[in-house]
Amino acid sequence: TVATPCRQSCVIVRDASDSMLGQKQIDALEASRDLVETLAAPTNGDTFRCAVVDFADSALVVHPLVPVRQLAGRLSPIDIVGFTDIAAGLREASAVLRSDGELIPPGVRCLHPVVALYSDGGHNGEGDPVYESDFLKQNLGCTIVTIACGQDADEGLLQQLASTPQHFYRAARGADLRALFARVGRTMSVSAAAGRD
């Protein structure tokens, strides 16, 4: 059981652009499944709620914000289509968190939300991903974790989007992406058990 009763929301923001087609698409699905399974561990109790947003030339809420146990074993595949509008993905994550109407029970601490985003390319949409990330951090108190997947990812941009330099990671291969997502899940679990953001 969780030592300090807490609630925390997590939005997984998945790159569904054309460049992800193939093995990266498979690896990314497995990585997001790994994160969900880690957060859904029985030792975490009712701590975590999770949503999934996919982005390409627009963004789509694939799974709304629900208790993470409802997503375990049920994550939808990543439908690949279009270019890389990172701003759209972050904007949709913001909308998901802003529309969250969960009532936190008395005595339960609400931890800062976490947005976990990965991309294998550079932003080529109309919006400004830095503006969207700043809104999430400043207005919603989010911690943003970003992962550059593969050699063509815009590491400079993803570093800007992350909450701190320590919240930015590189994944050269799919196996690395899976390991990093699992690490994010473990870190969130340990922090929540201690009642920390």
Side-chain angles (χ1 to χ4, degrees):
T1 60
V2 179
T4 303
C6 296
R7 289 288 169 82
Q8 188 168 39
S9 296
C10 175
V11 183
I12 303 172
V13 182
R14 308 188 301 185
D15 188 337
S17 61
D18 289 338
S19 57
M20 289 291 297
L21 187 64
Q23 188 60 46
K24 282 192 283 189
Q25 175 186 12
I26 296 168
D27 292 335
L29 174 59
E30 292 304 315
S32 51
R33 283 176 175 163
D34 290 346
L35 176 53
V36 165
E37 296 292 337
T38 302
L39 297 180
T43 51
N44 286 328
D46 295 323
T47 299
F48 296 108
R49 302 169 76 238
C50 190
V52 178
V53 171
D54 286 357
F55 69 91
D57 48 3
S58 62
L60 173 70
V61 178
V62 180
H63 295 286
L65 198 57
V66 295
V68 71
R69 287 178 295 181
Q70 294 182 21
L71 287 184
R74 298 185 178 92
L75 274 194
S76 296
I78 302 170
D79 291 327
I80 301 297
V81 58
F83 51 87
T84 311
D85 192 341
I86 296 174
L90 292 173
R91 191 180 314 114
E92 201 61 49
S94 173
V96 166
L97 292 170
R98 284 186 286 119
S99 65
D100 181 16
E102 186 196 29
L103 296 176
I104 304 298
V108 175
R109 182 181 174 200
C110 187
L111 299 177
H112 293 165
V114 173
V115 173
L117 175 146
Y118 69 85
S119 179
D120 75 330
H123 170 71
N124 52 21
E126 293 182 1
D128 180 356
V130 175
Y131 171 84
E132 300 298 342
S133 70
D134 286 348
F135 183 91
L136 282 160
K137 288 180 271 193
Q138 295 168 12
N139 295 77
L140 301 181
C142 289
T143 298
I144 302 181
V145 177
T146 62
I147 300 174
C149 179
Q151 302 302 315
D152 297 324
D154 186 341
E155 294 190 6
L157 173 61
L158 292 171
Q159 286 173 339
Q160 274 189 279
L161 302 182
S163 289
T164 70
Q166 291 72 37
H167 290 99
F168 166 75
Y169 301 95
R170 295 175 183 84
R173 299 171 294 113
D176 299 329
L177 184 62
R178 292 190 66 174
L180 287 170
F181 263 58
R183 179 178 172 184
V184 169
R186 289 192 301 271
T187 301
M188 289 177 64
S189 299
V190 170
S191 296
R196 297 193 309 264
D197 285 304

